[in-house]
Amino acid sequence: MPKWLKDAVFYEIYPQSFMDSNGDGIGDFEGIIGKLDYIRGLGANAIWMNPCYDSPFRDAGYDVRDYKKTAARYGSNDDLVRLFDEIHKRDMHILLDLVPGHTSEEHVWFQQSSRAEHNEYSDRYIWTDNWFQSPEGLKSVAGESERNGVYVLNFFKCQPALNYGFLHPEQPWQKGMDDPACIATKEAMKDVMRFWLEKGCDGFRVDMADSLVKNDDEKKTGTCMIWKEIREMLDKSYPEAALVSEWNRPTLAIPAGFHMDFCLDWGGNCYNVLMRDVKNGKNNSFFRKDSTRSVLDFFDEYLESYEKIKEIGHYCLITGNHDTVRASYFLDVQELKLAYAFLFTMPGNPFLYYGDEIGMRYQSRLLTKEGGYTRTGSRTPMQWDDTKNHGFSDAEPEQLYLPVDITEDAPTVQSQERNPDSLLNTVKDILKIRNEKEDLKDNTNLALLYAKAGERAFAYRRGSLLMLCNPSGQETALRADCFTDVPDMSKAEKLYEIGGAGYADGSFLLGAQTFVIWEMQAAK
Ligand code: GLC
Ligand code: CA
């Protein structure tokens, strides 16, 4: 495990929309460099940046045309290396986004692969051997090339799947994982990783990490074998390089070699319960004041995974990401504060999506941009201040990558910095505690002390820190002797609170919408 992950707090940057330094309406590396002190000031010390490689941008850069070249609109490879250096100067780290499962249809490998005559790249992608034959159970495209075959897709039409083989090949056109062509694909991806690691990046967020081997089994045996091999390469040559998977199955991803896996908002999963639970038009997200949920709706599922992997990897909670609707669409500012206080005091490395620290709003009415569709509304320019385009860019508004939120009360960094009660300052306060307290950096010490079906308030502990939260609109009392492990409050000190909480005569009194942290000095 890379040492720096122990206390890493991540900030996710969608480079298109973070900061434009040269007035062309789109964010760039230089813009990010100018804002590193801001990110550090929030209490984050690590960055995950979405894809910044050469691309036709039909899926915001997740359609890579050249893995080893940055997109000109963000700057050159040298500019990116300068960004790495500036990050390291500040004792920070950066993960690039690795897209190993597919390329753009404009990648030279795919162009070669599409040709009728056999060549080095013919089997770099997955083709059937007849234009008339579509592969069963896989997305595919026919009729686009001179080659007599149908090719497999991973996501959009522009993203043909790279060929890592089939777990159990059944058709003549299906290769096994040990076929030289499939080994060559894997080696090519390792080569891409080494290329950026040598230039100074600190690891990767891995896109669709579970998608490599086709017709894989339930346990993803084939795909896991590949990641184990990649992890061996890292352990041997780049022991401080970190990997986080977009997988949402830590019990598979972590043993396969990932240091971290995300808890994501994928269909019906426990993550939705906290901040994004809308069914039949009713928002019942746990942190809503009027929700009917118990926190067990989250913990039952979370703990099952956490307990299995806590010694070997991190299960990471996010405020949101470039694929989700922003949390502020579901929760108001007070609710967001409680939700963030919870996320940032949990194990794993927290990931804060740019703009979530000020509660930037989801822009539901935008037309799709670069394959964003419903995701587009969460990808608008960062709102820095009250100057032109909220300080994002000097370009004319119609030249911007996406329009800025110009509603009158649109949140900005500048206005929230001035207000001690703002969401931004709440984020800073909680992250400061996280960064100061060793107990919040220990990945293994989470204990749920009080949570009941049908009840809203709950309590958990991390070493000597005791956290209580009452997200409801009603005051409530919890008796300490009902906790699974009765906290010793004799020398306890209140470290932090949102709302109002007290302890007397063996009971915690929690005001409406309260989150509180006590430090129990006497505790083991
Ligand atoms: C991942 C990315 C998403 C992208 C897709 C295809 O889910 O997060 O933005 O569109 O993979 O690469
Ligand atoms: Ca620019």
Short mmCIF file of all heavy atoms in Angstrom, two decimals, residues 19-29 73-74 393, ligand 2:
data_model
loop_
_atom_site.label_atom_id
_atom_site.label_comp_id
_atom_site.label_asym_id
_atom_site.label_seq_id
_atom_site.Cartn_x
_atom_site.Cartn_y
_atom_site.Cartn_z
N MET A 19 -10.64 25.47 -14.55
CA MET A 19 -10.12 26.83 -14.65
C MET A 19 -9.44 27.02 -16.00
O MET A 19 -8.56 26.26 -16.37
CB MET A 19 -9.11 27.08 -13.51
CG MET A 19 -8.56 28.49 -13.47
SD MET A 19 -9.87 29.71 -13.09
CE MET A 19 -9.13 31.17 -13.80
N ASP A 20 -9.89 28.05 -16.71
CA ASP A 20 -9.35 28.35 -18.04
C ASP A 20 -8.31 29.46 -17.92
O ASP A 20 -8.65 30.58 -17.54
CB ASP A 20 -10.51 28.78 -18.95
CG ASP A 20 -10.03 29.30 -20.29
OD1 ASP A 20 -8.91 28.96 -20.70
OD2 ASP A 20 -10.80 30.06 -20.93
N SER A 21 -7.05 29.16 -18.24
CA SER A 21 -6.00 30.18 -18.03
C SER A 21 -5.75 31.04 -19.26
O SER A 21 -5.15 32.10 -19.16
CB SER A 21 -4.69 29.50 -17.64
OG SER A 21 -4.13 28.84 -18.77
N ASN A 22 -6.21 30.60 -20.45
CA ASN A 22 -5.84 31.35 -21.65
C ASN A 22 -7.04 31.89 -22.43
O ASN A 22 -6.92 32.27 -23.60
CB ASN A 22 -4.96 30.49 -22.57
CG ASN A 22 -5.69 29.25 -23.04
OD1 ASN A 22 -6.81 28.97 -22.59
ND2 ASN A 22 -5.09 28.50 -23.94
N GLY A 23 -8.19 31.91 -21.81
CA GLY A 23 -9.33 32.58 -22.40
C GLY A 23 -9.95 31.90 -23.61
O GLY A 23 -10.67 32.55 -24.38
N ASP A 24 -9.71 30.60 -23.80
CA ASP A 24 -10.36 29.94 -24.93
C ASP A 24 -11.67 29.25 -24.52
O ASP A 24 -12.29 28.56 -25.32
CB ASP A 24 -9.41 28.94 -25.62
CG ASP A 24 -9.01 27.79 -24.71
OD1 ASP A 24 -9.39 27.81 -23.51
OD2 ASP A 24 -8.30 26.88 -25.18
N GLY A 25 -12.05 29.43 -23.28
CA GLY A 25 -13.37 28.93 -22.86
C GLY A 25 -13.36 27.53 -22.28
O GLY A 25 -14.40 27.01 -21.88
N ILE A 26 -12.17 26.93 -22.25
CA ILE A 26 -12.09 25.57 -21.71
C ILE A 26 -10.95 25.47 -20.70
O ILE A 26 -9.90 26.11 -20.88
CB ILE A 26 -11.97 24.55 -22.87
CG1 ILE A 26 -12.15 23.13 -22.34
CG2 ILE A 26 -10.66 24.66 -23.63
CD1 ILE A 26 -12.64 22.16 -23.37
N GLY A 27 -11.17 24.70 -19.67
CA GLY A 27 -10.16 24.57 -18.62
C GLY A 27 -8.87 23.96 -19.14
O GLY A 27 -8.84 23.34 -20.20
N ASP A 28 -7.79 24.13 -18.39
CA ASP A 28 -6.48 23.62 -18.86
C ASP A 28 -5.54 23.39 -17.68
O ASP A 28 -5.86 23.73 -16.53
CB ASP A 28 -5.86 24.61 -19.85
CG ASP A 28 -5.98 26.05 -19.38
OD1 ASP A 28 -5.51 26.34 -18.27
OD2 ASP A 28 -6.57 26.88 -20.12
N PHE A 29 -4.39 22.76 -17.98
CA PHE A 29 -3.43 22.41 -16.91
C PHE A 29 -2.95 23.66 -16.16
O PHE A 29 -2.83 23.65 -14.95
CB PHE A 29 -2.21 21.67 -17.50
CG PHE A 29 -2.55 20.38 -18.19
CD1 PHE A 29 -1.88 20.02 -19.36
CD2 PHE A 29 -3.51 19.52 -17.68
CE1 PHE A 29 -2.17 18.81 -20.00
CE2 PHE A 29 -3.82 18.31 -18.31
CZ PHE A 29 -3.13 17.96 -19.49
N ARG A 73 -5.96 20.98 -26.10
CA ARG A 73 -6.75 22.02 -25.44
C ARG A 73 -6.39 22.19 -23.97
O ARG A 73 -6.65 23.23 -23.37
CB ARG A 73 -8.25 21.75 -25.61
CG ARG A 73 -8.78 20.54 -24.88
CD ARG A 73 -10.19 20.20 -25.36
NE ARG A 73 -10.91 19.39 -24.38
CZ ARG A 73 -12.16 18.97 -24.55
NH1 ARG A 73 -12.82 19.25 -25.67
NH2 ARG A 73 -12.77 18.27 -23.63
N TYR A 74 -5.77 21.17 -23.35
CA TYR A 74 -5.37 21.30 -21.94
C TYR A 74 -3.92 21.73 -21.80
O TYR A 74 -3.53 22.21 -20.73
CB TYR A 74 -5.55 19.97 -21.21
CG TYR A 74 -6.95 19.41 -21.26
CD1 TYR A 74 -7.19 18.08 -21.60
CD2 TYR A 74 -8.04 20.22 -20.97
CE1 TYR A 74 -8.48 17.58 -21.64
CE2 TYR A 74 -9.33 19.72 -21.01
CZ TYR A 74 -9.55 18.40 -21.36
OH TYR A 74 -10.81 17.89 -21.40
N SER A 393 -13.27 31.91 -16.73
CA SER A 393 -12.64 32.15 -18.03
C SER A 393 -12.89 33.59 -18.47
O SER A 393 -13.92 34.18 -18.12
CB SER A 393 -13.26 31.19 -19.05
OG SER A 393 -12.88 31.54 -20.36
CA CA B 2 -8.01 27.12 -21.83
#
